[in-house]
Structure formats: structure tokens, C-alpha cells
């Protein structure tokens, strides 16, 4: 089940034997899921819906929306709109709501012309730690020249789920810091002064730098050395040991446990349970890194932890990010 890798303007493809949404009368889709570039297959495996149709990186289903970690933007209320012209398409979208972002796959010029007639939506990169936008942002695409698929409600406040930042290209030792910036932005909660943070698999220090820059005290754990510029920062303590041999009692309670360590997801799951079930850490941001085949079973186990979120960030590669935030307590 694939889209059109050649970029042609052909209609969306369907699974063998499945009806297509393109052309004629058909039931309205129940949801649509957008995969990040290069990660359509893990999304299709996760959804496991033989009746889904594929439009580029967009997987359209007739079933109601459900959590899908490999979807960077889930279209929660998609509807098909027949249009007679470019002007008609823009008018139809404006009649629903103000803010729209286009996902282009085929019919690029026609899609651009429709989008140009819609109100401008600022796409300036965020300056971290600025909060995520709160204005509703719908998503739409052209299934064919006369059919728009549009959803006024989506899971992401960012166009096509892509979070862009004004990058610091001088200080961090690598670009992994962008994953933590994105995870914290989507979490809507930040470590700060007085918080104790644990960075597992810290080398070369990108995540430690983020946490320290927010004012937190950071203990960085890795057998390999950190970049000396990061290791020498105030409020940073470095311990040259394995994240998996670490005794929580030697660290004490932490407010944030962050892990970008390279390991099999099932091993990370055991570590997370050790720290969470034992009450040693309150908030978690962890990267599940897949080596070879995607370990969907481990991903489901992480997603099943109550109160947590499992996401494919726009800065993730073949990996997912797990976020757990402890319930906030009243200040009374």
C-alpha cells in the first residue's frame, strides 16, 4: 500500500480490493494521518487498516480517529469538498474557518493558488522557549482537481506537524537538542530553576545544555565524555557510568528524567518502570530508538502507560518520543 513516489497527479491509491475516496460518491472519511517524510511505512504498520487509502504521506481511513504515534498531524474531522474552481476552493475553506495549512501532493500549482487566496498564517520559526501557537489551524489537500479533503480540527498546531525553531548553531555540540526543544514545546511544561534533571545517555551534551539553559540542575550520565564546554557549565554534574547500572538511590529524587540513550526500546521500558514505579522521577522525556524493524509492541507498551503521550516528532528519525508529565499540584 503506497502513495505516488513519482509525484504524479494521480488520485490517492487504495489497498488492494479497497474502495477509493476519489471520484463518485463514498462515505466521508473518519480520520487522516500524516506521516513525516520517509516514515509512511511505520504509520501504515501501526494503523493496520486494509481499507485505508494513501495520498502521498497522508493515510485516509473510514474509522474514527485514534492515537497514532507515527502520525505527526492527525486530521480529526476530515470532510470531502467538491470544488468547481480555484476561487471556489478558497471560498469553501474560508466558509469553514480562517486558518488553513496545505499539504501538497500532486496538483501543486492549483493547491498553491488556492492557499494564496486564504488568510496568511505566520510560519515563523519559534524562538525557544516560546510556547506553541494556540490558534486553531486546519489542514487540507487536493485529492484531485475537483476535490478537497479538509479538516478544521487537527492534532498539531503546526502546519503539517512540522515544528521549526530559530536554531543555535554555535553552542550545542550536536543537533539532538532540537528534539528536546520540540518535546518540551509540545509538552507545554518546562524544567526551571530549582528543578533536578537527569540526562541519561548525555554524550555529547545537547540535552544537558537545554536543561541547564533553562536554569535546572543537571546530572549527566554517560560512559563517554561530554563536550568540555557543556561539562564545565554551572549546575552540571557529570557521572561516567552506564544509565542502566545507575542506582536511583545514589541520585535521589529528580523532577525530570530525560533519555536519548541508544538501546532497544524494551530495555528502556524496564528502566522507565524502575524510575517511575519507584517514585524516583516525576516527569519523563525519552527517545525510543528502533534498530532495523520498528518494535511496535514496545511502542504500544509505552503508549499504554496512563497519562503519557507517544509521538513522532518532526525532528525524530526512526524513533519515537515518549512524554510523561506528573499531575500538577495545587499551590494551596
Amino acid at each position: 500500500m503506497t502513495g505516488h513516489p513519482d509525484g504524479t497527479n494521480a488520485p490517492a491509491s487504495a489497498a488492494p480490493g479497497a474502495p477509493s475516496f476519489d471520484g463518485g460518491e463514498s462515505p466521508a472519511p473518519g480520520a487522516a494521518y500524516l506521516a513525516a517524510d520517509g516514515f509512511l511505512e511505520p504509520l501504515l504498520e501501526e494503523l493496520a487498516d486494509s481499507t485505508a487509502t494513501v495520498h502521498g504521506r497522508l493515510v485516509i481511513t473510514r474509522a474514527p480517529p485514534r492515537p497514532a504515534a507515527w502520525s505527526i498531524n492527525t486530521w480529526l474531522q476530515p470532510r470531502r469538498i467538491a470544488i468547481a474552481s480555484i476561487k471556489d476552493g478558497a471560498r469553501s475553506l474560508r466558509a469553514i474557518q480562517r486558518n488553513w495549512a496545505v499539504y501538497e501532493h500532486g496538483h501543486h500549482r492549483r493547491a498553491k493558488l488556492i492557499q494564496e487566496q486564504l488568510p496568511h498564517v505566520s510560519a515563523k520559526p519559534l524562538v525557544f522557549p516560546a510556547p506553541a501557537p494556540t490558534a486553531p489551524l486546519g489542514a487540507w489537500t487536493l485529492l484531485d482537481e475537483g476535490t478537497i479533503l479538509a479538516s478544521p480540527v487537527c492534532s498539531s498546531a503546526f502546519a503539517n506537524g512540522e515544528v521549526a525553531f530559530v536554531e543555535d548553531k554555535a553552542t550545542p555540540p550536536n543537533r539532538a537538542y532540537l528534539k528536546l526543544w520540540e518535546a518540551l514545546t509540545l509538552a507545554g511544561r518546562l524544567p526551571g530553576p530549582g528543578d533536578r534533571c537527569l540526562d541519561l545517555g548525555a554524550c555529547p551534551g545537547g540535552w544537558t545544555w537545554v536543561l541547564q539553559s533553562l536554569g535546572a540542575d543537571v546530572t549527566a550520565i554517560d560512559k563517554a565524555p561530554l563536550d568540555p564546554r557543556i561539562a564545565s557549565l554551572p549546575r552540571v554534574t557529570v557521572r561516567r557510568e552506564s544509565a542502566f547500572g545507575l542506582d536511583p538511590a545514589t541520585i535521589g529524587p529528580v523532577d525530570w528524567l530525560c533519555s536519548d540513550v541508544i538501546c532497544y526500546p524494551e530495555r528502556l521500558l524496564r528502566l522507565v518502570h524502575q524510575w517511575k514505579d519507584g517514585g524516583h522521577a516525576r516527569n519523563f522525556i525519552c527517545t525510543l530508538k528502533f534498530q532495523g524493524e520498528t518494535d511496535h509492541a514496545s511502542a504500544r507498551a509505552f503508549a499504554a502507560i496512563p497519562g503519557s503521550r507517544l509521538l513522532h516528532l518532526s525532528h525524530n528519525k526512526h524513533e519515537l518520543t515518549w512524554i510523561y508529565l506528573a499531575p500538577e499540584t495545587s499551590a494551596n
Side-chain angles (χ1 to χ4, degrees):
M1 192 191 318
T2 60
H4 296 287
D6 60 358
T8 63
N9 292 343
S13 61
S20 170
F21 289 115
D22 300 307
E25 293 297 324
S26 61
Y33 306 84
L34 185 65
D37 191 19
F39 296 99
L40 174 62
E41 288 307 315
L43 175 59
L44 290 171
E45 292 167 1
E46 180 184 22
L47 293 173
D49 187 338
S50 62
T51 67
T53 59
V54 179
H55 181 74
R57 294 185 282 117
L58 189 67
V59 181
I60 307 164
T61 71
R62 293 180 179 173
R66 63 181 179 87
W70 288 97
S71 172
I72 59 171
N73 190 25
T74 299
W75 300 17
L76 302 171
Q77 297 178 6
R79 62 189 71 176
R80 295 175 72 227
I81 305 169
I83 62 171
S85 64
I86 290 168
K87 183 177 293 186
D88 184 36
R91 182 170 54 245
S92 297
L93 292 170
R94 287 197 306 268
I96 299 171
Q97 68 180 32
R98 182 185 189 280
N99 295 334
W100 293 95
V102 61
Y103 165 62
E104 291 186 30
H105 177 69
H107 309 284
H108 296 290
R109 176 169 171 75
R110 190 173 181 84
K112 287 181 186 297
L113 291 173
I114 293 174
Q115 186 68 34
E116 286 172 0
Q117 293 192 25
L118 299 174
H120 175 71
V121 175
S122 175
K124 290 183 179 179
L126 286 181
V127 178
F128 184 83
T134 57
L137 181 63
W140 72 277
T141 190
L142 278 175
L143 296 178
D144 55 48
E145 285 194 357
T147 310
I148 284 176
L149 184 71
S151 177
V153 182
C154 297
S155 66
S156 176
F158 296 91
N160 294 321
E162 297 170 358
V163 185
F165 294 101
V166 176
E167 299 187 24
D168 184 334
K169 298 185 178 180
T171 313
N174 61 7
R175 299 187 79 251
Y177 75 96
L178 292 167
K179 290 190 289 187
L180 188 54
W181 272 10
E182 184 176 353
L184 290 169
T185 299
L186 298 181
R189 190 187 302 179
L190 302 173
D195 282 339
R196 299 187 69 237
C197 299
L198 186 63
D199 182 10
L200 302 180
C203 176
W207 282 30
T208 294
W209 171 75
V210 171
L211 299 167
Q212 190 275 346
S213 70
L214 291 169
D217 299 303
V218 189
T219 300
I221 308 294
D222 205 305
K223 288 183 176 180
L226 265 65
D227 184 298
R229 297 173 303 131
I230 307 302
S232 62
L233 290 172
R235 304 187 313 281
V236 170
T237 301
V238 179
R239 290 177 51 162
R240 297 280 297 276
E241 55 187 292
S242 167
F244 298 97
L246 189 64
D247 182 355
T250 67
I251 297 291
V254 297
D255 298 289
W256 292 82
L257 185 152
C258 298
S259 171
D260 198 32
V261 69
I262 299 173
C263 67
Y264 288 108
E266 60 184 11
R267 193 179 188 195
L268 178 65
L269 182 62
R270 291 194 296 270
L271 182 146
V272 161
H273 278 300
Q274 177 190 16
W275 284 84
K276 184 176 182 298
D277 298 347
H280 305 296
R282 298 184 67 248
N283 306 293
F284 294 78
I285 296 180
C286 301
T287 307
L288 285 66
K289 297 175 182 286
F290 302 104
Q291 302 169 49
E293 296 294 322
T294 304
D295 183 356
H296 291 287
S298 290
R300 287 192 295 270
F302 271 96
I305 296 174
S308 68
R309 300 168 65 190
L310 188 62
L311 309 168
H312 187 260
L313 305 178
S314 55
H315 290 97
N316 278 147
K317 296 180 181 176
H318 189 203
E319 55 194 15
L320 295 171
T321 296
W322 179 72
I323 302 173
Y324 174 83
L325 301 181
E328 293 188 286
T329 57
S330 172
N332 294 335

